[in-house]
Amino acid sequence: MKFLSFFIFIFLIFPSNLFAQNKIIKACSDNRGEYPNINFVKGKTFGVWVDIINEALVRLKSENEKYNYSLSITGIPITKCQSELIKGKYDIMLTSSYNKRRSSFFYFPPGSEKENKPCSSPFKFACNGFVVISPKKINNEENKYVFNGKIDHLPDLVFIDKGRTIMGDLEEKGIVPEVSEKIEVSINRMLKEGGVAITSVHTGITLLQDAKYSDKIILQKIPLNITSYYIPFSKKSKFTEDERLLFWKSITAVSKDKNFLAKINNQYK
């Protein structure tokens, strides 16, 4: 009885946040990085996405002390990130588009399956996708190929860098791409052998700005695929439905904070 009285006394005297435990959100992301969104350099992880998530966690805690979360991000190949998320080794993934297969393993924000227009989801974390790159010239003559937005319109020879999630869609259409470890290898092969290369929107824009390729390649105007990308939770994660929803809502609020975004974007110019 004395012990119970002492415990009640301690509970009433000390603030409740003293008993709140720091809950670590374990995340994985593509180890190739994507400047300025997320980067892995000499053991450090940084970028716009990292800053947005950390700010969202700070705001959650300021609203309620019990939501005391911290973020841990590991950079690994994207396909391994997906498989490890399925197993529950990580809580979240940065980032993934929605499809029915993934939704059987991951929790996506509400309404992710109902997107009518590209990148129109209120809970999107990023707007991304895949683009088609073609050589400006073939056999010293102008390349007149124009991609119309349909996978069926891709040429027989397609190059892609390893681990791109669009490969499943290509294979479903009977397209077996030539896979390289790095996009630069794919581009160099395309310039020698013809065909097209497929990569992410961000990487495509980066290549177009690279002096080595800018006068040799064409970034096709119509993307192969563009959609909302989310931060899904593993269905084996211990985070509750309420916690997941609060996390997504806080992320969305920070992503819409123009003053905060302007501040962090200046850091990466």
Side-chain angles (χ1 to χ4, degrees):
M1 189 68 182
K2 288 182 179 180
F3 176 78
L4 180 61
S5 299
F6 177 74
F7 178 80
I8 293 172
F9 171 77
I10 291 294
F11 185 80
L12 292 173
I13 292 297
F14 287 95
S16 60
N17 65 323
L18 183 66
F19 299 93
Q21 292 184 340
N22 184 337
K23 203 169 182 179
I24 299 174
I25 300 176
K26 293 183 289 184
C28 63
S29 188
D30 191 337
N31 60 353
R32 285 173 289 199
E34 187 177 280
Y35 189 88
N37 296 327
I38 186 164
N39 310 275
F40 303 96
V41 181
K42 296 180 180 179
K44 294 183 179 180
T45 305
F46 60 92
V48 173
W49 289 354
V50 181
D51 294 342
I52 288 174
I53 297 171
N54 282 329
E55 176 66 15
L57 298 182
V58 168
R59 294 186 186 187
L60 267 179
K61 186 178 178 181
S62 68
E63 292 170 6
N64 192 321
E65 286 284 341
K66 75 175 183 179
Y67 300 123
N68 184 19
Y69 305 132
S70 61
L71 179 68
S72 170
I73 305 178
T74 302
I76 54 178
I78 193 66
T79 50
K80 186 176 181 181
C81 181
Q82 290 179 329
S83 63
E84 296 290 272
L85 194 70
I86 291 171
K87 296 174 186 176
K89 182 175 180 179
Y90 297 100
D91 298 301
I92 61 174
M93 173 182 177
L94 309 180
T95 56
S96 174
S97 58
Y98 173 91
N99 66 29
K100 286 186 179 180
R101 180 183 177 279
R102 291 183 199 126
S103 69
S104 64
F105 301 112
F106 310 149
Y107 289 117
F108 283 87
S112 300
E113 76 285 0
K114 298 176 182 178
E115 186 171 71
N116 297 319
K117 295 180 180 179
C119 300
S120 61
S121 173
F123 283 108
K124 71 176 180 293
F125 185 62
C127 183
N128 209 339
F130 294 92
V131 291
V132 176
I133 297 173
S134 57
K136 277 191 175 181
K137 292 186 176 182
I138 297 178
N139 297 325
N140 294 320
E141 293 186 6
E142 182 184 354
N143 183 8
K144 296 182 180 180
Y145 173 78
V146 177
F147 180 62
N148 66 6
K150 297 180 180 179
I151 288 181
D152 297 335
H153 190 241
L154 290 170
D156 293 334
L157 188 56
V158 175
F159 298 97
I160 194 168
D161 45 325
K162 187 177 180 180
R164 295 300 184 184
T165 54
I166 195 72
M167 282 200 284
D169 296 333
L170 295 173
E171 290 168 356
E172 282 181 8
K173 293 288 185 177
I175 299 170
V176 181
E178 295 284 327
V179 182
S180 302
E181 286 291 330
K182 296 182 178 180
I183 185 58
E184 291 82 3
V185 176
S186 292
I187 296 295
N188 290 334
R189 285 193 63 187
M190 177 199 73
L191 292 173
K192 289 179 180 179
E193 302 174 39
V196 298
I198 293 171
T199 192
S200 69
V201 172
H202 182 274
T203 302
I205 294 171
T206 302
L207 286 167
L208 195 62
Q209 295 170 342
D210 189 330
K212 290 184 295 184
Y213 300 112
S214 59
D215 63 342
K216 297 177 182 178
I217 64 173
I218 298 171
L219 181 61
Q220 294 289 322
K221 291 182 179 180
I222 301 177
L224 176 62
N225 163 280
I226 190 160
T227 189
S228 292
Y229 275 66
Y230 306 94
I231 303 179
F233 276 82
S234 167
K235 286 197 172 181
K236 292 190 176 180
S237 169
K238 294 181 180 180
F239 285 83
T240 66
E241 183 178 357
D242 286 343
E243 287 177 314
R244 295 194 301 268
L245 188 56
L246 284 169
F247 173 82
W248 287 323
K249 285 183 175 180
S250 189
I251 292 287
T252 300
V254 176
S255 297
K256 292 180 178 179
D257 187 336
K258 293 181 180 179
N259 291 331
F260 178 78
L261 293 180
K263 179 183 175 182
I264 61 171
N265 280 325
N266 283 333
Q267 298 176 19
Y268 300 103
K269 286 184 177 179

